Amino acid sequence: MWRDDGAGSQIAEALQDCPGLHAIDGGMVPENHFEKVVQTRPDTILMIDAGDFGGAPGELRLLQPDEVALSGLSTHAGSANMLAQYLNARCGAKVGLLAIQPGDVSEGEQLSPAVAAAMDGLVKELLEGVGAGHARDVLR
């Protein structure tokens, strides 16, 4: 794939067995996984994806879907705003996007060192947050 563009997939894989959390890897076409998301009946959805917002490699930025709008932040066919609106309409969930500033999107599978370090910290925080019962507060 394209190195740091796979950060969201790697996070989904790392969180796969976390109790109380449904981690779904949307891959290159997240729209193909929406029914699986809707079936979990979530009240909060956090989409995690690489996106160039001009930050330092590995920097994380929590965005509301309307902040992304049609900016082309994502490498996917649908904009984050459109995807979030659809999910909100289908299940009433609050939806946010955690964007990860890529450092290297050249061909390859390994994350760049800066993004790998950020992902390790993020996975740890998400596991601690869900374990402490704070999953619903993440988008407040």
Side-chain angles (χ1 to χ4, degrees):
M1 301 275 251
W2 304 108
R3 294 184 48 113
D4 290 346
D5 195 38
S9 293
Q10 289 196 20
I11 290 172
E13 184 178 326
L15 298 174
Q16 201 64 46
D17 297 322
C18 179
L21 180 69
H22 295 279
I24 298 171
D25 180 4
M28 295 299 289
V29 189
E31 309 84 89
N32 288 348
H33 304 274
F34 280 3
E35 285 310 307
K36 188 188 296 184
V37 172
V38 170
Q39 289 172 6
T40 68
R41 302 172 60 163
D43 57 10
T44 303
I45 298 171
L46 181 62
M47 298 186 297
I48 303 174
D49 198 8
D52 186 359
F53 53 82
E59 183 179 336
L60 303 172
R61 190 168 293 173
L62 182 61
L63 304 169
Q64 298 305 314
D66 59 345
E67 293 178 284
V68 182
L70 300 174
S71 67
L73 180 68
S74 176
T75 57
H76 306 290
S79 72
N81 188 27
M82 180 186 71
L83 300 177
Q85 286 180 5
Y86 176 82
L87 287 169
N88 177 264
R90 284 295 310 276
C91 53
K94 186 168 185 173
V95 183
L97 171 68
L98 184 61
I100 305 157
Q101 179 65 47
D104 184 351
V105 290
S106 64
E107 189 173 351
E109 293 184 17
Q110 258 188 326
L111 297 177
S112 67
V115 170
M119 295 305 88
D120 288 345
L122 176 60
V123 167
K124 182 179 178 186
E125 285 186 41
L126 288 171
L127 289 171
E128 288 173 358
V130 170
H134 298 297
R136 288 178 180 81
D137 297 332
V138 73
L139 296 178
R140 283 191 187 170

